[in-house]
Amino acid sequence: MSSLRFSILVAGLAGLAVGYSDTAWKRQTNSTGSPCASVSYLASSQTAASPSATATVPAKLAYECINSVPLNVSAALDLIETVKPYWEWQSTIAYLKNPPAEYVEKIQDPVDVFGELDIIEAKVKNGSFASEYESTHDGHFVYVPDSVGGIFNFGRTLPLVSVSLDGKSLPQPYAYPDILETSLGNASFTPSPTVKIDGESSTAWLENWSQYGSLQDRDALYNNVFYELAIVALGTSSAGMGTFTGGGRGRWIYPGETTTLQFENGTSVVLKNFAKVLTDFTGIDSGEALSKNTTSTPAPGYPTPVIRQQNNLIGGYYLDGEDYADIAVLSVPSFVGSSNAEESFQATGQTFLAEAVAAGKTKLIIDLSANGGGTILQGYDLFKQLFPSIDAFAAADRTRAFEAIDLVGQSFSAISGSVPRTLDWGNNETLEALEENIISSNFNYRTDERPDGKPFSSWAEKYGPYEFNGDEFSGLFRWNLSDVLTPINSGGIQIQGYGGYRTNLTQPFATENIVVLTDGYCASTCTIFSRLMTDLAGVRYVAMGGRSTSGITQAIGGVKGTNDLGWDYVQYLVSLVYENANATQKAYYNTTSLADYNDQIPFLRAANDTAYNINFRDGIKLDDFEGQTPLQFVYEPADCRIYWTPGMTVDISSAWKAVADSAWGASDWCVAGSLKTNSTIRTLATVAGRYSRPAVVQSVPIRQRAKREDYPLGLYTDLRGQNLKKKGYMVP
Ligand SMILES: *[C@@H]1O[C@H](CO)[C@@H](O)[C@H](O)[C@H]1NC(C)=O
Ligand SMILES: *[C@@H]1O[C@H](CO)[C@@H](O)[C@H](O)[C@H]1NC(C)=O
Ligand SMILES: *[C@@H]1O[C@H](CO)[C@@H](O)[C@H](O)[C@H]1NC(C)=O
Ligand SMILES: *[C@@H]1O[C@H](CO)[C@@H](O)[C@H](O)[C@H]1NC(C)=O
Ligand SMILES: *[C@@H]1O[C@H](CO)[C@@H](O)[C@H](O)[C@H]1NC(C)=O
Ligand SMILES: *[C@@H]1O[C@H](CO)[C@@H](O)[C@H](O)[C@H]1NC(C)=O
Ligand SMILES: *[C@@H]1O[C@H](CO)[C@@H](O)[C@H](O)[C@H]1NC(C)=O
Ligand SMILES: *[C@@H]1O[C@H](CO)[C@@H](O)[C@H](O)[C@H]1NC(C)=O
Ligand SMILES: *[C@@H]1O[C@H](CO)[C@@H](O)[C@H](O)[C@H]1NC(C)=O
Ligand SMILES: *[C@@H]1O[C@H](CO)[C@@H](O)[C@H](O)[C@H]1NC(C)=O
Ligand SMILES: *[C@@H]1O[C@H](CO)[C@@H](O)[C@H](O)[C@H]1NC(C)=O
Ligand SMILES: *[C@@H]1O[C@H](CO)[C@@H](O)[C@H](O)[C@H]1NC(C)=O
């Protein structure tokens, strides 16, 4: 297993150590007969023929090209040295190395991040460098050097799904076009499951491959291998058609020259794997404009919305069929991940919830599938829209405590002391910049509150430090949701119920009438929202899909850190400290670790359109202030697990109906756990006639409009033009 474990960051260094560079490649010509020359020739002839297309070349050729350039030892060592200061900001370094036993048993193995880096450094120095792959499985911890993510993205052409034909037997992998053909086409054949991949048991092979993903939970990672409607509805800013096809972080992994699928009926297919050539492309590919701001993003397999945000970040739906007449569905695959749609996101939720209640809907299903997070305060706001009377505090935050953080905090807190805390947009640019950059920052101790809701009295009180698990951490703190500067941290919105904003709303749905489903890809802000929903309101969660196993799984399988920071933002913080210092202070800072941030190498070497982030804040449960284990390392089973069926991979409302049936109907799709409560069982008794009908599994309710052609089979992750600096967002 360990040979397959992978860190984008560490592997990135491995890639860099290969010494490959864009300019080196461009200098190559095919007169040398080198693999890079062949790539160049193939790519240029494709772009000559079709200038708007992204060139693709055989995966093997791209891989040989990358590996054909000799190691530049000094460049590799420079990069290793200059990334270290940023890694210090990663809140979970000590816990990754020494995790709780339950994390090791049920989630992932330990990783000694700095230890791994030391080994790579030693190998680079002694000339025995060979790729070393390790994973942190923290979606907030990412760095992709140009050599890995800047030249090629790898892929496979055939998307798969993992489904259970009857919703009860173990799921098996199928070719998605087969499922589409049998669901929506005229096909009379019965799709045959993939039993082997490259000669190995397919489920074992896929579990290993899934480990290249960004999530920590193994069932969530497994789901992310496959084609999924919620992900497709996010367009090119998502994990595409799943990591098997090179979506999400699968795009950085060499998939081999070919991949052989063997089906149960004895047939085999050999897929020729490819690499997309990222340099010099001017056009757009099949994922064309799917996620672009001005364009409405299609959502194949979704019913007609009551209301939706144009990029499907949030949308409201009703279910057809008399049995489901009282049910509303709020689909939330993002908390405004990579765009700037905070206001329309909030307004869509507000409008839909009010309309649903007005339309007589009494039950609400919330679908968080594919939700990599986004604007943190949007998660708080949506919770307050659902539970206006509950104070939205379910977990405290903390950061690592070390010199650089202490110095930034001292500086920002001192500067802020002499300026009034007012929101003053449009009047005084100097003040505005100060408010945005420094006063509203979490490094000004006045921005947050202590867990008891009282203000901190000084930076020293907030900073601590306190020792846990052999590392040092700040004191615990919580958001001050009533803060006058909230709009600066929220993308412009006020939080429902705080600071005088919409304080008079009533709860739209009773707790037992709300159920949330996820595909495990619930990360970052999605986990913050979920913590509020589960721990404070007691809302039940369904985990969809997962590995080909029985038993309960986690619904929240993505990074549970409560805030990430870009490395460039970290560097900017340091630059602000210098900017606001006098000569004496600057000289002093030059003797501290702040001087280590004065190097552009990590940024110059980062691949275009990739993020460079660390997880900055841990979330700590309210009942764990003594032990303070970061939630990232806590295993939390869902209330119920439901397998994907073929129909659910073509029509998402089939999944919503299965959840409704299991929570409030007579049939129960949970293969583990249960959604029934005493009150819903009572409700059930009174409406038993209405809900009692056999579960129809295989026949897909085909909407008139649904056509095979609606489902993109060439959708690949493409983050060009996206904002990758959202705090509280796990970049795919
Ligand atoms: C590469 O080789 C092809 C065929 O051998 C030739 O037509 C082409 O001009 C060459 N291109 C370059 C850039 O040398
Ligand atoms: C290796 O990298 C260094 C920068 O660290 C650069 O100055 C040097 O030119 C590179 N050497 C080669 C052979 O590209
Ligand atoms: C190089 O360093 C690595 C890591 O310390 C070590 O495992 C390896 O044996 C060394 N190889 C040589 C040839 O010295
Ligand atoms: C089904 O077959 C009929 C007759 O061959 C054809 O006209 C129709 O387009 C087919 N439908 C689909 C969805 O392939
Ligand atoms: C076997 O199953 C595969 C996958 O469903 C299908 O593409 C193929 O046509 C089938 N072959 C036969 C001979 O039925
Ligand atoms: C990366 O982005 C920069 C700035 O947009 C551009 O000049 C450069 O060509 C890009 N590099 C690649 C490899 O696409
Ligand atoms: C769309 O672009 C406009 C400017 O072109 C910008 O003001 C707006 O914030 C963008 N919206 C989204 C959702 O990205
Ligand atoms: C603008 O704000 C700054 C910072 O508080 C202050 O020093 C300056 O006097 C203000 N300028 C005006 C014109 O009010
Ligand atoms: C809440 O207050 C607003 C503004 O004061 C008012 O327009 C609205 O009708 C009130 N809503 C309820 C449910 O009382
Ligand atoms: C520099 O700033 C520090 C902190 O505000 C102050 O104590 C010190 O007197 C200043 N030194 C000079 C030379 O202005
Ligand atoms: C601090 O270090 C930087 C970078 O080496 C240098 O440019 C600057 O002059 C130094 N500042 C002081 C006050 O020593
Ligand atoms: C249902 O009611 C029984 C008896 O009142 C109680 O013991 C049980 O805990 C309840 N279960 C739930 C899920 O509330």
Side-chain angles (χ1 to χ4, degrees):
M1 178 57 89
S2 71
S3 66
L4 269 179
R5 296 172 60 233
F6 182 86
S7 164
I8 296 316
L9 205 156
V10 176
L13 289 166
L16 177 91
V18 167
Y20 190 69
S21 88
D22 185 24
T23 35
W25 175 64
K26 282 186 179 146
R27 273 199 308 272
Q28 308 263 4
T29 70
N30 63 353
S31 60
T32 66
S34 76
C36 291
S38 303
V39 167
S40 177
Y41 174 67
L42 284 176
S44 56
S45 47
Q46 287 173 47
T47 43
S50 173
S52 68
T54 301
T56 60
V57 298
K60 181 157 178 274
L61 185 63
Y63 187 65
E64 285 171 355
C65 168
I66 292 175
N67 283 292
S68 67
V69 181
L71 172 70
N72 184 334
V73 171
S74 89
L77 293 177
D78 282 351
L79 182 59
I80 289 169
E81 275 318 303
T82 54
V83 302
K84 280 180 181 172
Y86 299 94
W87 283 16
E88 293 285 348
W89 292 63
Q90 173 68 26
S91 64
T92 60
I93 289 288
Y95 289 82
L96 285 166
K97 186 174 175 183
N98 180 27
E102 191 177 35
Y103 176 88
V104 178
E105 184 197 333
K106 296 180 178 169
I107 306 179
Q108 293 291 344
D109 294 337
V111 182
D112 178 359
V113 172
F114 279 109
E116 291 296 330
L117 195 60
D118 288 345
I119 291 170
I120 291 177
E121 189 168 6
K123 288 184 174 175
V124 169
K125 280 180 178 157
N126 74 13
S128 70
F129 184 83
S131 294
E132 274 289 326
Y133 298 132
E134 274 294 339
S135 178
T136 62
H137 288 285
D138 178 329
H140 281 165
F141 190 59
V142 57
Y143 178 73
V144 188
D146 50 5
S147 48
V148 167
I151 317 296
F152 300 111
N153 280 349
F154 292 106
R156 294 188 180 87
T157 50
L158 181 71
L160 305 179
V161 284
S162 169
V163 293
S164 164
L165 292 185
D166 58 5
K168 296 292 172 197
S169 53
L170 290 180
Q172 289 179 287
Y174 290 84
Y176 188 56
D178 281 359
I179 299 293
L180 274 181
E181 194 56 40
T182 49
S183 301
L184 302 175
N186 285 342
S188 54
F189 70 95
T190 305
S192 183
T194 306
V195 290
K196 289 196 168 165
I197 300 181
D198 287 343
E200 200 186 321
S201 143
S202 59
T203 50
W205 189 99
L206 291 163
E207 278 184 36
N208 281 348
W209 179 264
S210 75
Q211 286 287 90
Y212 291 127
S214 58
L215 306 157
Q216 70 275 12
D217 180 78
R218 290 175 189 264
D219 295 288
L221 283 163
Y222 195 74
N223 283 340
N224 200 217
V225 170
F226 303 103
Y227 195 97
E228 196 185 300
L229 297 176
I231 288 179
V232 168
L234 291 174
T236 52
S237 65
S238 73
M241 301 186 294
T243 60
F244 180 75
T245 53
R249 298 186 189 180
R251 67 197 189 276
W252 298 317
I253 317 302
Y254 174 54
E257 181 176 15
T258 59
T259 305
T260 303
L261 303 184
Q262 188 186 320
F263 300 101
E264 199 176 60
N265 66 10
T267 314
S268 289
V269 296
V270 178
L271 306 176
K272 290 204 172 83
N273 302 328
F274 65 90
K276 295 203 293 174
V277 182
L278 300 183
T279 50
D280 283 332
F281 58 1
T282 48
I284 40 181
D285 70 330
S286 58
E288 156 182 1
L290 280 184
S291 64
K292 299 301 180 277
N293 175 358
T294 50
T295 318
S296 168
T297 313
Y302 279 69
T304 305
V306 177
I307 180 173
R308 67 158 187 156
Q309 191 275 342
Q310 65 170 1
N311 303 112
N312 300 318
L313 305 184
I314 185 169
Y317 300 84
Y318 299 149
L319 292 174
D320 56 13
E322 212 184 301
D323 290 353
Y324 306 100
D326 56 351
I327 294 171
V329 180
L330 185 64
S331 159
V332 192
S334 174
F335 280 101
V336 193
S338 59
S339 58
N340 298 305
E342 277 82 1
E343 289 173 16
S344 66
F345 182 97
Q346 183 188 49
T348 305
Q350 288 173 348
T351 304
F352 178 67
L353 292 174
E355 279 186 13
V357 169
K361 308 295 172 185
T362 56
K363 299 187 174 66
L364 180 69
I365 292 173
I366 302 176
D367 187 346
L368 295 177
S369 297
N371 196 314
T375 304
I376 294 166
L377 292 176
Q378 201 87 65
Y380 282 94
D381 180 72
L382 185 60
F383 172 75
K384 289 293 289 185
Q385 289 186 37
L386 295 163
F387 294 99
S389 62
I390 301 180
D391 182 30
F393 179 49
D397 291 354
R398 71 170 194 200
T399 71
R400 284 195 74 216
F402 57 98
E403 186 186 50
I405 281 183
D406 193 14
L407 292 172
V408 176
Q410 286 180 30
S411 164
F412 280 28
S413 293
I415 295 163
S416 303
S418 60
V419 190
R421 196 175 182 88
T422 52
L423 187 63
D424 194 18
W425 279 344
N427 293 322
N428 178 339
E429 275 180 29
T430 315
L431 182 57
E432 208 173 297
L434 211 52
E435 282 169 357
E436 288 205 31
N437 296 332
I438 293 181
I439 302 171
S440 64
S441 154
N442 138 287
F443 291 91
N444 171 11
Y445 69 86
R446 300 166 190 84
T447 295
D448 303 295
E449 293 173 341
R450 305 191 319 201
D452 64 8
K454 302 223 162 64
F456 286 102
S457 58
S458 65
W459 169 255
E461 185 190 7
K462 185 175 181 185
Y463 176 74
Y466 303 92
E467 196 185 325
F468 291 95
N469 202 22
D471 200 0
E472 294 199 325
F473 297 92
S474 73
L476 298 175
F477 52 93
R478 62 170 287 184
W479 286 92
N480 174 4
L481 299 171
S482 303
D483 182 19
V484 65
L485 298 184
T486 290
I488 294 176
N489 286 316
S490 72
I493 64 162
Q494 296 236 45
I495 310 306
Q496 156 107 31
Y498 291 95
Y501 179 63
R502 303 216 323 163
T503 51
N504 61 352
L505 291 205
T506 50
Q507 184 175 324
F509 295 92
T511 304
E512 66 270 21
N513 287 345
I514 304 177
V515 173
V516 180
L517 71 144
T518 85
D519 59 352
Y521 194 102
C522 175
S524 203
T525 296
C526 182
T527 74
I528 297 174
F529 171 75
S530 296
R531 175 113 354 251
L532 297 164
M533 294 289 280
T534 55
D535 291 14
L536 299 185
V539 170
R540 291 156 296 154
Y541 266 60
V542 179
M544 302 296 300
R547 286 171 287 177
S548 187
T549 59
S550 56
I552 199 71
T553 55
Q554 297 195 99
I556 301 161
V559 57
K560 295 182 188 171
T562 50
N563 182 200
D564 57 336
L565 298 182
W567 297 9
D568 53 345
Y569 180 69
V570 168
Q571 192 190 47
Y572 181 61
L573 291 171
V574 173
S575 77
L576 286 171
V577 171
Y578 271 93
E579 219 171 83
N580 287 282
N582 61 32
T584 316
Q585 287 170 307
K586 280 179 186 154
Y588 165 65
Y589 291 141
N590 273 1
T591 69
T592 72
S593 58
L594 293 189
D596 298 341
Y597 297 85
N598 189 21
D599 202 313
Q600 295 305 109
I601 287 178
F603 307 102
L604 295 173
R605 298 310 311 256
N608 282 354
D609 308 307
T610 60
Y612 22 74
N613 288 344
I614 47 81
N615 186 69
F616 179 56
R617 303 187 195 191
D618 292 328
I620 305 291
K621 260 174 99 109
L622 295 187
D623 63 5
D624 189 29
F625 286 2
E626 294 297 313
Q628 293 198 17
T629 300
L631 280 159
Q632 173 75 1
F633 296 88
V634 178
Y635 177 82
E636 299 173 290
D639 297 291
C640 152
R641 176 183 183 189
I642 294 177
Y643 292 147
W644 295 114
T645 63
M648 296 175 191
T649 70
V650 176
D651 180 348
I652 196 66
S653 58
S654 307
W656 298 339
K657 287 178 178 178
V659 170
D661 291 345
S662 307
W664 307 297
S667 54
D668 189 351
W669 294 69
C670 302
V671 295
S674 171
L675 292 177
K676 306 292 188 205
T677 65
N678 286 351
S679 65
T680 57
I681 288 166
R682 272 199 303 280
T683 311
L684 182 66
T686 65
V687 294
R690 238 181 92 201
Y691 282 108
S692 59
R693 80 190 132 62
V696 180
V697 181
Q698 281 204 60
S699 73
V700 180
I702 304 167
R703 286 173 300 110
Q704 217 68 36
R705 292 190 305 111
K707 298 189 298 293
R708 281 165 299 168
E709 297 72 37
D710 294 340
Y711 298 76
L713 296 178
L715 178 68
Y716 293 95
T717 304
D718 180 356
L719 302 182
R720 282 173 297 162
Q722 300 290 325
N723 173 5
L724 304 180
K725 304 195 190 310
K726 273 278 152 69
K727 298 168 192 170
Y729 173 52
M730 181 182 69
V731 177

